[in-house]
Amino acid sequence: MSLALTLLYAPADRPGLVAKAFASRADVVLIDLEDAVAAAGKGAAREALPDLVSELLREYPGREVQVRVNSIGTKWCSKDLDAVSALDPAVAVRVPKVESEEDIATVAHAVGARHIHALLESALGIENAFRIASAGITGIGLGEADLKSSLGIDDDAGLLWARSRLVNAARASGLCAPAMSAFTNLADEAGLRESCSEGRRLGFMGRVAIHPKQLSVIEQAFLPSEGQLERAREVLASIAGATAAGRGVVVLADGRFLDAAMVQRAEDTVALAERPT
């Protein structure tokens, strides 16, 4: 799976929008059977899913796709999981409102070996974040609207601890840094940019989008700056030179000592800047 900075939602009952998402610059297409589809339309959207996905994957081979199903415990979930299990094995499942490892086991039993991405949207889910992240899944994320309701908060400042908890759980369990939850004000580009910057400072990497016009803002917010890329390449060049010369200690021109963590961070920065688009 490629390094993803942008993930774009499209409602499963709007095939034209799903097609536009496939054609977009998003790294991952998120086909939504949950919040974006009204209860009355969920059955029809699910039934149309196999043909829709198969057709679009023929047109866009190799496209990274996740299907967000309805949450465990709802009357739609088991049928959603059955539908996903019949799709191309490369299509991942995105599970909302996960609260325990048992939820992951239920999903894995239904969909087999395909990738599972878990969304944590409640106080209990956040408390169990590390155990969920360690349950054999590919990624975790926050569902911040529901989490705010669960915690009884109205302002993003109240999410700071939960966001940091999620990032720490992901990295402690060996997962990649999580992507941020969607920014829902489509008219506020400056707000999106600043929110992405804050998320990056907390350790998030990339973000979910709800409209294609958000994609370039998100991508630029998470790509390394020219200065960061230059410093990363300096670190890698210095360690390569030291290794060739048989030196075990490396000191950069600005006096910084290099250690393994700095080298890994530099490698990650260069990989991010050079990722295929």
Side-chain angles (χ1 to χ4, degrees):
M1 300 178 72
S2 60
L3 181 61
L5 292 184
T6 53
L7 306 88
L8 178 60
Y9 270 118
D13 62 343
R14 302 281 299 278
L17 293 183
V18 176
K20 287 182 178 179
F22 269 75
S24 75
R25 64 186 292 158
D27 296 318
V28 183
V29 175
L30 306 178
I31 304 175
D32 191 15
L33 286 167
E34 194 209 14
D35 288 344
V37 181
K42 290 183 185 292
R46 184 193 312 116
E47 290 173 8
L49 188 65
D51 288 343
L52 176 62
V53 172
S54 295
E55 178 183 343
L56 288 169
L57 284 178
R58 282 194 297 270
E59 186 175 355
Y60 301 94
R63 201 70 165 95
E64 194 167 331
V65 181
Q66 298 175 25
V67 176
R68 182 166 73 170
V69 299
N70 287 277
S71 58
I72 294 171
T74 64
K75 62 182 180 181
W76 305 288
C77 183
S78 62
K79 291 182 180 179
D80 288 352
L81 293 174
D82 288 343
V84 171
S85 68
L87 300 177
D88 185 294
V91 175
V93 61
R94 191 171 183 85
V95 188
K97 301 176 177 63
V98 173
E99 294 189 324
S100 67
E101 315 97 292
E102 289 76 20
D103 288 345
I104 299 300
T106 296
V107 174
H109 178 74
V111 302
R114 72 184 62 236
H115 292 287
I116 298 172
H117 297 263
L119 295 177
L120 281 54
E121 308 187 45
S122 68
L124 180 58
I126 295 300
E127 285 299 313
N128 289 331
F130 177 69
R131 289 194 289 273
I132 293 168
S134 302
I137 63 176
T138 301
I140 56 175
L142 289 179
E144 292 187 348
D146 284 271
L147 183 58
K148 284 180 178 180
S149 296
S150 175
L151 298 176
I153 60 176
D154 298 313
D155 190 272
D156 278 4
L159 293 173
L160 178 60
W161 182 83
R163 287 172 169 173
S164 292
R165 177 70 178 268
L166 188 87
V167 170
N168 196 77
R171 302 319 288 262
S173 61
L175 299 180
C176 292
M180 296 184 74
S181 185
F183 187 85
T184 57
N185 187 345
L186 294 178
D188 188 3
E189 183 176 305
L192 171 61
R193 186 176 294 106
E194 174 54 35
S195 178
C196 288
S197 296
E198 173 62 21
R200 185 174 178 176
R201 288 192 289 270
L202 292 175
F204 285 89
M205 182 55 61
R207 188 165 204 158
V208 169
I210 57 173
H211 192 281
K213 73 178 185 178
Q214 295 180 313
L215 297 175
S216 61
V217 176
I218 293 170
E219 187 174 28
Q220 290 304 312
F222 286 98
L223 285 173
S225 67
E226 286 298 324
Q228 290 169 329
L229 184 57
E230 182 180 350
R231 287 191 294 274
R233 287 175 171 156
E234 178 191 2
V235 167
L236 297 181
S238 297
I239 198 69
T243 301
R247 299 197 310 272
V249 177
V250 180
V251 182
L252 297 180
D254 61 5
R256 288 178 296 157
F257 279 87
L258 286 185
D259 59 22
M262 291 177 65
V263 173
Q264 183 61 58
R265 181 66 184 272
E267 290 175 344
D268 291 345
T269 297
V270 173
L272 183 60
E274 296 178 351
R275 76 194 230 287
T277 56

